[in-house]
């Protein structure tokens, strides 16, 4: 930015050393005067620790103090050793020259932004020499004070100047004879005199030197300058106080630089506020029409349609979903940029989460003919505490990218334990693909926002270039790290490690299923994909079954015949449908056509959810037909159902924390001013069997709510004449004298950080971000306490 460039040019030409450091304490900028004072050229010092400029005996303490200045506002905390480390009180340090000698220095600073500090260094060598010279004699003392860049002065207890250096007089624009013997009051403004008098009185009363007193002076020619005084008591040879002596420095340039930096910071903050407001408005304006598009498309797809109409509508819905993903990426990155992404820890079942994430991507993978599979190591805990939404976001993003950039082969997700104890576990996730790969020189770009390894891929594959940057930020927020390994043409492996707490409660159902009846069962796996065979074998071995694997249909048939002849037949056959040479359906047909094998139990796994294949399987007596990737809990339940005589087997589960659907129709007041959104929500409610009343503004909502009794209120936030926040507040105020309290759900296009909290603070009970889908609305209504009340008979 132009302001920042001008500011550094001014700092670079300053008479004092000026250094900037980042939050890690590394030197980021270095002016010419710093080179002269410390002996280090910029080319050698930039990027180095700033601590090497401080004498070792004080290095650790001063580095810690400077880090505190960057990381938090030190003026709002109590400091101990570095009590002087505040914006109006500099700190003195033993500075270290490149050649190893120490020299005294004084530090002042100004914050550039949230993680960079500009440090103004004052070399006190000459000042120290002056103090030594004062003790050696008046004649030498006079010569030295007139030679230093700072001004020196002495005043008696009446406030009359008794000694002045040439430099001090130059600052005022007077000659020494014009000032000596005169009261200091003659040369200062009426505003400055009380400040100076009070500071000098404090020095006299306490005997403690004044380190820094900053104020404005007006020169004889009318020009205003900023000065900084350090003052101590002057005593005679008997130790009696006879006045004050001090050193003055012209800090006009430093003050102007600080003011310029403050203006630059203010401009940046205003720009950030404007950007946040723009993003919030953009989110609202886009989500409102998208609510209509997605809602109406969902309603249309649930009606009777021709094949061509359904295809058109599904394409429209897919495009709207893609647009929503892009919008969410942009909003998520704005939160990353503003450091406003927050985690919401809650207990969840890791196996279920990974499985659900993979299921959501299965269609995309299967459309491209890819194998999509996942495995979770035996030492990985089932139930953990973390942010399941953010962890799923990472998995879906990374796996979706792998599918996007892979044209043939497989995408495999693996979870293993990096380290663990009784309270937490560091889990290592990998997403491996057989895709196009990434050249080494372009891998460093991948985790930067708005960048891709090859910008031409944006047109071919789409995407905002934000997904990996968001994943990196979330992983780091979880206390982990993310990296990748890749070779062009050989695929990519993305790694990330996160730490999750152990859950005090059991969340998942898979671990609660009794698998003892399956122990020792002989199972044949027939699959041409080596990864699938390995995953299935490990899964079955975990339940103490005896799996064997065949790489083709022909090999599988031979193993079946051999096992039967040996008197140890396979009780269960798990067969992949899509295999070369001989498909799974052909294998099933051969088995059913062989008198020795026809009674074998077959479970078919497929990468396509085609009704024709399922129908053919049923006609051949195939007991189970599952779509990959297979969740362990799903596999275990299906095996039990397949091999037991009772088809009514249901796995044992703990009571679900999720509330069931509505037990009765609800009377719902819908506060919504947008015509399209009205149609969507009213149609959804009607289809759910609820009775809906429409209100088109805040005042209309209040009137209808006061005149009738409703179970629930869906409240739009942005409405004419009275918004949803104010309407809710008025309802809650009036309810103080009522016995009935209506349940209010915010239904809004405001989806930025803090919007949910703002709704809850206004008195609402729940929050739905637009676009509103049928499932999202149904779940929100089910969470309403009134919805769980059974109809009285």
């Amino acid at each position: 930015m132009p302001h920042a460039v001008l500011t550094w040019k001014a700092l670079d030409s300053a008479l004092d050393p000026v250094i900037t450091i980042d939050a890690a304490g590394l030197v980021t900028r270095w002016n010419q005067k710093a080179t002269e004072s410390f002996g280090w050229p910029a080319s050698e010092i930039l990027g180095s620790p700033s601590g090497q400029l401080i004498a070792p005996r004080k290095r650790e303490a001063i580095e810690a103090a400077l880090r505190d200045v960057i990381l938090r506002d030190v003026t709002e905390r109590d400091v101990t050793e570095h009590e002087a480390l505040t914006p109006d009180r500099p700190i003195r340090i033993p500075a270290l020259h490149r050649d190893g000698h120490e020299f005294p220095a004084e530090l002042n600073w100004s914050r550039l932004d949230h993680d960079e500090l500009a440090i103004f260094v004052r070399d006190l060598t000459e000042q120290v020499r002056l103090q030594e010279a004062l003790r050696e004699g008046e004649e030498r003392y006079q010569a030295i004070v007139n030679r230093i860049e700072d001004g020196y002065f002495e005043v008696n207890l009446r406030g009359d100047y008794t000694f002045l250096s040439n430099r001090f007089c130059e600052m005022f624009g007077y000659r020494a004879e014009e000032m000596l013997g005169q009261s200091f009051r003659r040369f200062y403004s009426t505003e400055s005199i009380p400040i100076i008098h009070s500071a000098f009185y404090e020095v006299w009363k306490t005997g403690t030197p004044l380190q820094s007193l900053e104020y404005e002076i007006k020169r004889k020619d009318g020009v205003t300058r900023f000065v900084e005084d350090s003052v101590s008591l002057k005593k005679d040879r008997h130790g009696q106080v006879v006045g004050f002596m001090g050193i003055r420095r012209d800090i006009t340039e430093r003050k102007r630089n600080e003011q310029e930096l403050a203006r630059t910071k203010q401009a940046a903050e205003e720009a950030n506020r404007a950007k946040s407001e723009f993003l919030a408005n953009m989110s609202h304006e886009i989500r409102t029409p998208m609510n209509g598009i997605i809602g109406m498309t969902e309603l249309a797809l649930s009606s009777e349609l021709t094949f061509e109409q359904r295809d058109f509508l599904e394409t429209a819905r897919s495009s709207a979903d893609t647009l929503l993903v892009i919008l969410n990426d942009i909003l998520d990155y704005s939160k990353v940029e503003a450091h406003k992404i927050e985690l919401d820890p809650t207990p969840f079942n890791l196996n279920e989460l990974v499985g659900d994430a993979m299921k959501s991507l299965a269609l995309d993978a299967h459309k491209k003919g890819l194998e999509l599979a996942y495995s979770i190591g035996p030492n990985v805990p089932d139930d953990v505490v973390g942010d399941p939404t953010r962890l799923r976001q990472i998995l879906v993003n990374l796996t979706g990218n792998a599918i996007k950039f892979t044209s043939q082969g497989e995408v495999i997700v693996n979870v293993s334990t990096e380290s663990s104890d009784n309270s937490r576990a560091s889990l290592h996730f990998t997403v491996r693909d057989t895709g196009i790969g990434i050249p080494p020189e372009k891998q460093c770009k991948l985790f930067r926002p708005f960048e891709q390894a090859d910008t031409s891929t944006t047109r071919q594959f789409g995407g905002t270039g934000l997904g990996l940057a968001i994943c990196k930020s979330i992983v780091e927020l979880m206390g982990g790290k993310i990296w990748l390994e890749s070779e062009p043409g050989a695929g990519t492996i993305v790694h990330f490690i996160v730490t999750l707490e152990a859950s005090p409660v059991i969340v998942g159902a898979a671990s609660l299923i009794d698998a003892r009846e399956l122990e020792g069962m002989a199972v044949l796996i027939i699959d041409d994909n080596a990864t699938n065979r390995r995953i299935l074998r490990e899964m079955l071995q975990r339940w103490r079954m005896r799996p064997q694997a065949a790489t083709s249909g022909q090999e599988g048939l031979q193993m079946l015949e051999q096992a039967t002849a040996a008197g140890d037949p396979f009780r269960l056959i798990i067969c992949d449908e899509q295999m070369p040479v001989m498909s799974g359906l052909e294998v099933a047909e051969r088995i059913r056509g062989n008198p020795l094998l026809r009674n074998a139990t077959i479970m078919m796994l497929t990468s396509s959810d085609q009704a024709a294949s399922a129908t053919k399987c049923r006609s051949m007596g195939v007991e189970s037909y599952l779509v990959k990737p297979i969740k362990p809990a799903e596999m275990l339940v299906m095996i039990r159902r397949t091999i037991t005589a009772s088809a009514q087997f249901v796995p044992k589960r703990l009571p679900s924390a999720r509330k069931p659907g509505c037990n009765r129709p609800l009377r719902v007041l819908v506060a919504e001013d947008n015509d399209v959104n009205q149609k969507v929500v009213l149609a959804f409610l009607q289809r759910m069997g609820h009775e809906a009343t429409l209100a088109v503004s805040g005042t209309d909502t209040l009137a209808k709510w006061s005149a009738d009794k409703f179970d629930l209120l869906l409240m739009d936030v942005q409405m004419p004449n009275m918004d949803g926040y104010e309407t809710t507040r008025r309802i809650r105020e009036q309810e103080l004298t009522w016995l009935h309290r209506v349940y209010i759900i915010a239904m809004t296009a405001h989806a930025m950080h803090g919007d949910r909290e703002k709704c809850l603070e206004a008195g609402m009970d729940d929050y739905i971000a637009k676009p509103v889908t049928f499932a999202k609305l149904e779940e929100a209504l089910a969470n309403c306490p009134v919805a769980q009340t059974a109809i009285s008979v």
Side-chain angles (χ1 to χ4, degrees):
M1 300 189 312
H3 286 302
V5 173
L6 290 173
T7 297
W8 181 248
K9 285 182 178 179
L11 295 177
D12 194 43
S13 62
L15 296 176
D16 290 323
V18 182
I19 305 166
T20 66
I21 64 173
D22 61 17
L26 302 181
V27 177
T28 56
R29 286 184 280 194
W30 178 269
N31 73 350
Q32 180 57 37
K33 195 66 178 178
T35 296
E36 295 173 14
S37 293
F38 289 90
W40 292 94
S43 59
E44 294 183 23
I45 196 67
L46 291 178
S48 300
S50 58
Q52 70 187 68
L53 305 175
I54 305 168
R57 67 180 184 278
K58 289 290 185 178
R59 184 173 296 163
E60 183 176 350
I62 293 170
E63 280 183 319
L66 289 175
R67 279 195 301 272
D68 279 350
V69 174
I70 297 176
L71 297 176
R72 56 179 174 172
D73 185 2
V74 297
T75 64
E76 294 180 0
R77 68 184 182 89
D78 294 326
V79 293
T80 54
E81 180 178 352
H82 295 286
E83 186 177 352
L85 193 58
T86 63
D88 59 344
R89 301 178 70 183
I91 181 173
R92 293 195 177 195
I93 67 166
L96 189 64
H97 193 273
R98 184 186 184 188
D99 62 12
H101 81 266
E102 295 182 15
F103 63 93
E106 189 175 81
L107 305 184
N108 278 280
W109 63 91
S110 180
R111 192 184 300 277
L112 291 176
D113 54 33
H114 68 280
D115 60 359
E116 192 172 26
L117 203 66
I119 300 176
F120 304 86
V121 183
R122 179 184 177 187
D123 187 341
L124 299 180
T125 303
E126 291 297 329
Q127 180 179 332
V128 171
R129 288 177 183 172
L130 167 63
Q131 292 170 347
E132 293 172 353
L134 288 173
R135 292 190 297 269
E136 295 175 2
E138 185 68 29
E139 186 176 340
R140 187 178 179 188
Y141 160 72
Q142 178 75 48
I144 292 175
V145 296
N146 284 332
R147 193 177 67 219
I148 64 173
E149 291 183 358
D150 293 338
Y152 177 79
F153 65 93
E154 293 179 3
V155 295
N156 59 27
L157 293 176
R158 293 190 304 272
D160 301 330
Y161 286 115
T162 58
F163 179 86
L164 301 171
S165 71
N166 293 340
R167 177 61 181 144
F168 184 89
C169 296
E170 290 171 5
M171 290 181 188
F172 272 106
Y174 289 93
R175 299 189 310 276
E177 52 267 28
E178 293 180 275
M179 300 187 70
L180 284 170
Q182 301 293 321
S183 172
F184 80 95
R185 293 176 177 81
R186 175 183 169 188
F187 305 98
Y188 296 92
S189 66
T190 54
E191 294 82 9
S192 299
I193 290 173
I195 298 172
I196 298 169
H197 183 274
S198 175
F200 276 55
Y201 177 77
E202 190 68 21
V203 173
W204 175 80
K205 185 175 69 172
T206 64
T208 303
L210 174 66
Q211 298 294 332
S212 176
L213 175 64
E214 296 181 6
Y215 52 91
E216 288 183 358
I217 63 170
K218 186 168 287 188
R219 287 169 46 90
K220 185 178 181 180
D221 57 12
V223 175
T224 299
R225 306 292 290 179
F226 288 95
V227 295
E228 177 186 65
D229 289 350
S230 57
V231 182
S232 59
L233 292 174
K234 179 175 172 58
K235 299 179 181 181
D236 61 17
R237 61 182 180 176
H238 303 294
Q240 296 298 312
V241 176
V242 295
F244 304 89
M245 56 185 179
I247 294 177
R248 170 168 295 170
R249 161 161 282 216
D250 188 329
I251 60 169
T252 303
E253 291 304 315
R254 193 187 84 197
K255 277 293 183 182
R256 287 174 180 169
N257 289 334
E258 290 175 356
Q259 291 169 354
E260 181 65 27
L261 289 170
R263 284 193 292 269
T264 301
K265 180 184 177 184
Q266 183 180 1
E269 290 173 348
E270 289 174 356
N272 276 335
R273 281 194 295 271
K275 182 179 69 174
S276 295
E277 290 172 2
F278 168 77
L279 286 170
N281 290 333
M282 182 189 72
S283 170
H284 183 273
E285 294 304 319
I286 294 177
R287 286 175 182 274
T288 297
M290 282 184 66
N291 187 57
I293 295 170
I294 294 176
M296 288 300 184
T297 304
E298 189 172 356
L299 287 169
L301 283 169
S302 64
S303 62
E304 293 293 330
L305 299 168
T306 65
F307 176 81
E308 186 178 40
Q309 289 170 335
R310 184 168 297 278
D311 183 55
F312 289 163
L313 288 169
E314 285 177 348
T315 301
R317 182 174 63 179
S318 175
S319 298
D321 289 342
T322 301
L323 182 58
L324 190 58
V325 168
I326 293 171
L327 175 64
N328 287 335
D329 272 355
I330 294 171
L331 294 178
D332 261 350
Y333 185 70
S334 74
K335 295 177 186 177
V336 168
E337 227 181 9
H339 303 281
K340 289 184 177 178
I341 279 192
E342 296 177 355
L343 299 180
D344 182 17
T346 186
F348 67 95
N349 183 268
L350 183 66
N351 217 315
E352 290 292 312
L353 182 140
V354 177
D356 290 341
M358 295 303 103
K359 285 285 190 182
S360 70
L361 296 165
L363 183 61
D364 292 337
H366 298 161
K367 282 180 179 178
K368 299 181 73 172
L370 303 176
E371 287 285 354
L372 176 63
Y374 73 96
S375 66
I376 297 180
N379 296 326
V380 175
D382 287 330
D383 301 304
V384 292
V385 176
D387 190 327
T389 302
R390 290 300 183 186
L391 182 57
R392 179 188 170 100
Q393 181 180 1
I394 298 169
L395 283 172
V396 170
N397 196 302
L398 297 181
T399 310
N401 272 353
I403 294 169
K404 183 192 299 184
F405 293 104
T406 303
S407 58
Q408 59 182 1
E410 62 186 22
V411 174
I412 308 297
V413 174
N414 183 69
V415 188
S416 59
T417 301
E418 187 80 2
S419 62
S420 65
D421 55 34
N422 292 331
S423 61
R424 66 183 61 192
S426 290
L427 303 182
H428 186 171
F429 293 75
T430 60
V431 181
R432 177 176 60 82
D433 65 61
T434 55
I436 59 177
I438 306 161
E441 67 274 11
K442 295 183 178 180
Q443 292 177 15
C444 61
K445 295 182 177 181
L446 286 180
F447 295 104
R448 297 177 189 165
F450 308 106
E451 291 199 35
Q452 293 186 335
D454 181 356
T455 53
S456 64
T457 62
T458 302
R459 287 189 176 276
Q460 182 181 355
F461 297 103
T464 61
L466 292 174
L468 290 178
I470 294 168
C471 287
K472 180 175 183 291
S473 296
I474 297 173
V475 167
E476 290 174 349
L477 197 60
M478 291 180 170
K481 60 180 180 177
I482 187 169
W483 72 99
L484 62 85
E485 303 169 20
S486 184
E487 291 182 22
T492 300
I493 305 176
V494 180
H495 304 256
F496 71 92
I497 294 174
V498 296
T499 299
L500 300 173
E501 304 289 332
S503 175
V505 297
I506 297 175
V507 184
S511 59
L512 301 178
I513 301 174
D514 188 356
R516 284 176 297 179
E517 295 179 14
L518 307 180
E519 291 183 14
M521 181 187 298
V523 182
L524 178 61
I525 302 166
I526 306 175
D527 198 319
D528 64 303
N529 184 278
T531 303
N532 281 339
R533 293 196 301 272
R534 175 183 61 80
I535 291 173
L536 287 170
R537 183 193 293 269
E538 291 174 355
M539 194 183 298
L540 298 175
Q541 286 173 340
R542 198 175 302 172
W543 301 320
R544 301 181 185 276
M545 302 170 81
R546 293 188 296 122
Q548 295 186 46
T551 60
S552 66
Q554 188 62 45
E555 182 184 0
L557 290 172
Q558 292 173 359
M559 292 176 68
L560 282 169
E561 291 173 353
Q562 291 168 1
T564 301
D568 185 19
F570 291 103
R571 188 173 174 189
L572 175 66
I573 302 163
I574 301 176
C575 185
D576 183 28
E577 183 184 352
Q578 285 84 26
M579 293 188 295
V581 184
M582 183 183 295
S583 70
L585 291 174
E586 292 179 82
V587 172
E589 193 171 8
R590 296 277 191 94
I591 291 172
R592 292 304 182 227
N594 187 328
L596 296 176
L597 306 177
R598 68 174 55 171
N599 293 326
T601 300
I602 303 173
M603 178 183 291
M604 192 71 70
L605 307 184
T606 179
S607 297
S608 64
D609 191 9
Q610 297 180 358
S613 297
T615 301
K616 191 167 184 181
C617 282
R618 282 194 295 271
S619 68
M620 282 190 259
V622 174
E623 284 77 4
S624 302
Y625 184 85
L626 296 176
V627 180
K628 298 178 187 176
I630 311 298
K631 294 162 60 175
E634 181 181 43
M635 172 67 85
L636 189 53
V637 169
M638 195 55 66
I639 289 175
R640 289 292 306 275
R641 287 180 175 174
T642 301
I643 65 169
T644 55
S646 173
Q648 302 301 317
F649 171 78
V650 178
K652 299 176 184 177
R653 297 174 182 261
L654 283 179
S656 174
R658 187 177 181 275
K659 294 183 178 180
C662 295
N663 289 336
R664 64 181 179 87
L666 302 176
R667 298 195 70 235
V668 183
L669 177 59
V670 179
E672 173 64 67
D673 65 304
N674 183 275
D675 292 343
V676 175
N677 290 341
Q678 291 170 1
K679 292 179 182 178
V680 171
V681 175
L682 292 177
F684 281 171
L685 292 172
Q686 183 181 13
R687 191 154 296 184
M688 294 175 194
H690 302 305
E691 179 186 342
T693 300
L694 179 65
V696 297
S697 67
T699 52
D700 189 25
T701 303
L702 276 177
K704 290 181 177 175
W705 167 79
S706 300
D708 206 343
K709 184 177 180 180
F710 295 93
D711 298 310
L712 185 139
L713 202 162
L714 291 176
M715 180 75 75
D716 184 26
V717 166
Q718 198 169 46
M719 292 187 295
N721 67 54
M722 186 189 298
D723 63 26
Y725 301 122
E726 181 61 25
T727 304
T728 300
R729 290 189 191 100
R730 294 198 183 186
I731 288 174
R732 295 307 185 211
E733 287 173 2
Q734 292 185 39
E735 284 177 338
L736 294 175
T737 59
W738 293 19
L739 296 177
H740 175 69
R741 184 183 188 276
V742 67
Y743 193 85
I744 303 177
I745 301 175
M747 185 176 61
T748 174
H750 291 284
M752 295 292 288
H753 174 80
D755 285 330
R756 178 185 182 89
E757 291 72 18
K758 190 175 179 181
C759 291
L760 298 180
E761 286 172 6
M764 302 182 201
D765 300 288
D766 203 351
Y767 169 98
I768 311 175
K770 295 176 181 176
V772 177
T773 63
F774 188 91
K776 191 189 296 184
L777 181 58
E778 187 175 40
E779 183 178 358
L781 295 184
N783 287 328
C784 171
V786 178
Q788 306 309 316
T789 305
I791 302 174
S792 57
V793 180

